[in-house]
Amino acid sequence: MARAATTSDVFNAIAEPQRREILALLREGERSVTEVAQELGMTQPGASKHLRVLREVGLVRDRRAGKQRLYGLHADGLRPVHEWTGGFEQFWNESFDRLDAYVQDLKQTGRAE
């Protein structure tokens, strides 16, 4: 089965580690492509390519500020990821509850002996 185009799906877009780094950087505020490239140690064309992909899937917005374009996080685009991962929250909560009960049992058994 062919893989979906990177620009058609949020999950494919964030599968690239450098794109996740860009999103984390943009949590701190808007940046120009030059700032993104410098702060993350990548080339400007590479940063531009990643920003374009993130913009096309709705994770990044851009605006003109004089002669430069500033990129900012558009976190609403992460909603599908949040909803999908949220489905695992109950699983993890139940797993930690079982682990906690096991640890408490070990403590009680250790005191009883």
Side-chain angles (χ1 to χ4, degrees), residues 46-58:
S48 291
K49 179 181 174 184
H50 289 309
L51 285 164
R52 179 184 51 80
V53 169
L54 293 170
R55 189 183 73 238
E56 288 178 3
V57 297

Side-chain angles (χ1 to χ4, degrees), residues 37-51:
Q38 288 174 348
E39 292 188 44
L40 298 179
M42 58 178 65
T43 66
Q44 188 169 341
S48 291
K49 179 181 174 184
H50 289 309
L51 285 164

Side-chain angles (χ1 to χ4, degrees), residues 1-111:
M1 179 175 191
R3 185 171 174 203
T6 303
T7 57
S8 68
D9 180 85
V10 172
F11 291 93
N12 282 324
I14 65 171
E16 166 59 51
Q18 289 182 314
R19 291 192 197 116
R20 293 192 305 270
E21 288 179 14
I22 291 171
L23 293 174
L25 178 64
L26 294 180
R27 281 190 308 215
E28 301 168 8
E30 292 181 324
R31 300 282 198 286
S32 68
V33 67
T34 303
E35 291 171 315
V36 169
Q38 288 174 348
E39 292 188 44
L40 298 179
M42 58 178 65
T43 66
Q44 188 169 341
S48 291
K49 179 181 174 184
H50 289 309
L51 285 164
R52 179 184 51 80
V53 169
L54 293 170
R55 189 183 73 238
E56 288 178 3
V57 297
L59 295 177
V60 167
R61 56 177 165 60
D62 64 329
R63 68 177 180 89
R64 285 265 182 217
K67 291 185 176 185
Q68 62 180 334
R69 185 175 300 272
L70 296 177
Y71 294 87
L73 181 64
H74 183 68
D76 287 349
L78 288 170
R79 187 171 311 279
V81 176
H82 175 71
E83 290 171 355
W84 184 78
T85 58
F88 293 94
E89 184 175 1
Q90 182 178 355
F91 167 79
W92 285 111
N93 286 338
E94 290 171 357
S95 296
F96 288 128
D97 289 346
R98 285 192 307 274
L99 178 60
D100 186 50
Y102 177 71
V103 169
Q104 295 304 319
D105 286 347
L106 287 176
K107 287 181 181 178
Q108 292 297 330
T109 303
R111 289 182 185 153

